[in-house]
Amino acid sequence: MSEGLPAQLPAADWRARPGLGKLCMALGSEQGEARFVGGAVRDALLGLPVKDIDIATVHEPDEVIRRVKAAGLRAVPTGIAHGTITAILDHQPIEITTLRRDVSTDGRRATVAFGTDWRDDAARRDFTMNALYADPADGTLHDYFDGRADLLARRVRFIGDPHQRIAEDHLRILRYFRFTARFGTLDRASPDFAACVTHATSLMALSRERVADEMLKLLGLPDPADVVAAMVSDGVLVPVLPEISESGVESLRALIAAERSTGVAPVGLRRLAALLPQDSAQADQVGARLRLSNKARQRLRLAAAPADAATPQALAYALGEESAVDRILLGRSFSPEHAPSLIGWTAPRLPLSGGDLIAMGLTAGPLVARTLQALERAWVNQGFPDAETTRDMARQMVESTLRSSQ
Ligand code: ATP
Ligand code: MG
């Protein structure tokens, strides 16, 4: 027995969610036909909060839908081809998946068959710590591959032969590093690590979106620096992100330290910005290659572009709060202690319009726009003074413009 971890699924808030017991019973949990699985079981054993509840069941999807509805809940066929039905319990989704085994795999997608064998279902999961099942009623664990012992030892271990498991689904390489950064200790001597390094080029066969999604999840963890350092030094990222170098890892460490000292929550995209060279054209290329949204691409680009502002607020006014915080924590503008005050800061609006300048005596035309711009600059640099002060500033500007045009 592994000490230091409960022998059964511990009592926790999420297990007492109203309606959950009824849903499990409807799925036949008392007959051993439905169990909690995956992240919920793993995280609960570690005493961590659980967000997503996954249930595995011997029933096929149509039967799952019937049973979920009979329990008075909404059933959404979110991934029916893969056997997943989502039950909505108190506005929160619970994923219910029929037991499966792989029929064929090609590194990117799997064809599955439904089954009734728990061990088969466990065997197609990625890591031993992700293949733990628990009976909803009494919390009894079902552990087919020593996942509990690995969890205790903080060992992220592939189920079966790592080479074969990576050949089946290349994304598992990135998942290995993500779970290692989250729960594990980095063991460069392990066969699992070695297999991930050996097969790194197979990452090129994956869709860029999946790579990006997994990388951003990894980077968004509290401290992925040691794992990323190992990925860089052993060439794991070269096939997908050749721009990242050892100096990028140093910037990542500095960013993490700045986030910690200021208490600002990590963001995967900001961590990625730290890893990339400070070159906005390159940042944009990476954003395009990873098929990031326009908003995310812009964020990556702004983190790397030259920017000049009189104050942290002026920077936030020009780039938006998010990008200003990014630049400050990345050590590219001002110093880190300015970051927290910008979080949630909404830029004030210039309390004057072109119409006001015309009312002060300017003739409608390009001069109005130019004067308004100059006024805005002065207003930003002076820390967004109130309407009255701004009006005084505007009057002086209009007067001197009129004087010089006479
Ligand atoms: P998280 O808290 O990050 O969501 P999780 O363990 O729930 O962690 P998911 O990606 O949501 O991870 O996947 C749910 C479960 O599905 C995993 O615990 C694992 O058993 C299985 N799984 C997910 N992706 C794969 C994969 N690529 N190969 C094999 N099994 C996988
Ligand atoms: Mg999950």
Side-chain angles (χ1 to χ4, degrees):
M1 166 179 153
S2 341
E3 284 172 27
L5 281 185
Q8 294 190 322
L9 191 68
D13 290 355
W14 64 270
R15 289 185 65 193
R17 221 180 258 181
L20 184 61
K22 192 174 166 204
L23 172 65
C24 292
M25 291 217 319
L27 292 169
S29 56
E30 296 200 319
Q31 292 74 44
E33 296 168 352
R35 296 171 180 169
F36 296 129
V37 66
V41 179
R42 178 198 66 218
D43 294 355
L45 286 174
L46 291 172
L48 299 172
V50 166
K51 296 190 308 290
D52 302 332
I53 302 177
D54 287 297
I55 296 177
T57 179
V58 299
H59 301 295
E60 294 209 3
D62 289 346
E63 177 65 7
V64 171
I65 293 178
R66 202 187 61 72
R67 288 174 179 244
V68 169
K69 285 188 177 157
L73 298 172
R74 205 149 67 81
V76 189
T78 41
I80 201 151
H82 277 89
T84 303
I85 305 295
T86 301
I88 310 294
L89 191 69
D90 198 18
H91 305 290
Q92 284 173 321
I94 300 203
E95 299 215 321
I96 305 162
T97 306
T98 306
L99 300 188
R100 299 172 291 188
R101 61 193 157 72
D102 286 336
V103 176
S104 69
T105 54
D106 66 0
R108 287 172 294 180
R109 58 190 79 77
T111 309
V112 296
F114 300 136
T116 52
D117 190 285
W118 293 92
R119 198 175 190 283
D120 282 351
D121 187 75
R124 73 176 293 282
R125 293 174 186 272
D126 45 9
F127 309 113
T128 60
M129 63 168 65
N130 284 349
L132 292 162
Y133 301 74
D135 277 331
D138 62 9
T140 303
L141 285 186
H142 302 270
D143 179 6
Y144 303 95
F145 298 100
D146 288 334
R148 188 166 163 277
D150 285 334
L151 190 58
L152 182 73
R154 303 260 156 189
R155 192 162 49 221
V156 180
R157 195 162 59 85
F158 281 98
I159 295 172
D161 172 43
H163 297 278
Q164 188 196 328
R165 303 311 312 282
I166 291 169
E168 289 167 4
D169 179 357
H170 313 316
L171 194 71
R172 289 174 187 154
I173 297 173
L174 296 179
R175 287 178 63 87
Y176 172 80
F177 290 107
R178 172 157 73 90
F179 285 103
T180 299
R182 187 154 155 214
F183 301 111
T185 39
L186 187 62
D187 177 7
R188 303 178 81 135
S190 74
D192 307 82
F193 181 89
C196 288
V197 173
T198 302
H199 298 288
T201 50
S202 66
L203 290 173
M204 290 168 91
L206 292 174
S207 81
R208 309 275 170 77
E209 289 89 342
R210 291 183 77 202
V211 169
D213 182 60
E214 198 57 42
M215 274 307 293
L216 290 174
K217 278 190 196 160
L218 161 64
L219 293 176
L221 292 171
D223 191 356
D226 286 342
V227 162
V228 173
M231 293 170 89
V232 171
S233 70
D234 288 32
V236 176
L237 290 178
V238 175
V240 282
L241 284 163
E243 295 82 359
I244 297 179
S245 66
E246 314 261 334
S247 75
V249 177
E250 288 319 301
S251 309
L252 174 64
R253 290 192 195 280
L255 169 62
I256 293 171
E259 288 171 348
R260 293 230 163 128
S261 72
T262 54
V264 178
V267 179
L269 212 53
R270 189 194 298 135
R271 301 288 187 60
L272 178 60
L275 287 169
L276 297 175
Q278 198 179 337
D279 172 326
S280 58
Q282 249 187 55
D284 203 47
Q285 271 169 22
V286 170
R289 183 174 351 114
L290 294 180
R291 311 275 193 274
L292 299 182
S293 69
N294 286 337
K295 190 165 174 280
R297 253 175 94 172
Q298 160 95 336
R299 186 168 179 178
L300 212 51
R301 205 167 46 70
L302 287 178
D308 187 23
T311 63
Q313 277 77 17
L315 186 70
Y317 186 79
L319 304 183
E321 168 227 315
E322 239 171 37
S323 287
V325 170
D326 287 351
R327 295 187 58 87
I328 290 172
L329 292 173
L330 286 162
R332 294 171 185 173
S333 301
F334 306 101
S335 56
E337 69 270 15
H338 292 290
S341 69
L342 290 182
I343 292 186
W345 184 81
T346 33
R349 287 174 58 104
L350 181 67
L352 237 68
S353 68
D356 295 308
L357 298 183
I358 292 169
M360 289 175 189
L362 282 192
T363 313
L367 191 58
V368 174
R370 271 210 303 281
T371 310
L372 197 63
Q373 273 171 17
L375 177 68
E376 186 183 29
R377 260 197 310 278
W379 172 76
V380 169
N381 290 343
Q382 287 175 34
F384 315 99
D386 63 14
E388 207 178 320
T389 315
T390 310
R391 194 163 277 282
D392 289 343
M393 288 160 60
R395 257 191 226 103
Q396 280 174 25
M397 276 188 181
V398 168
E399 276 165 25
S400 80
T401 307
L402 290 177
R403 240 182 281 123
S404 65
S405 65
Q406 268 165 10

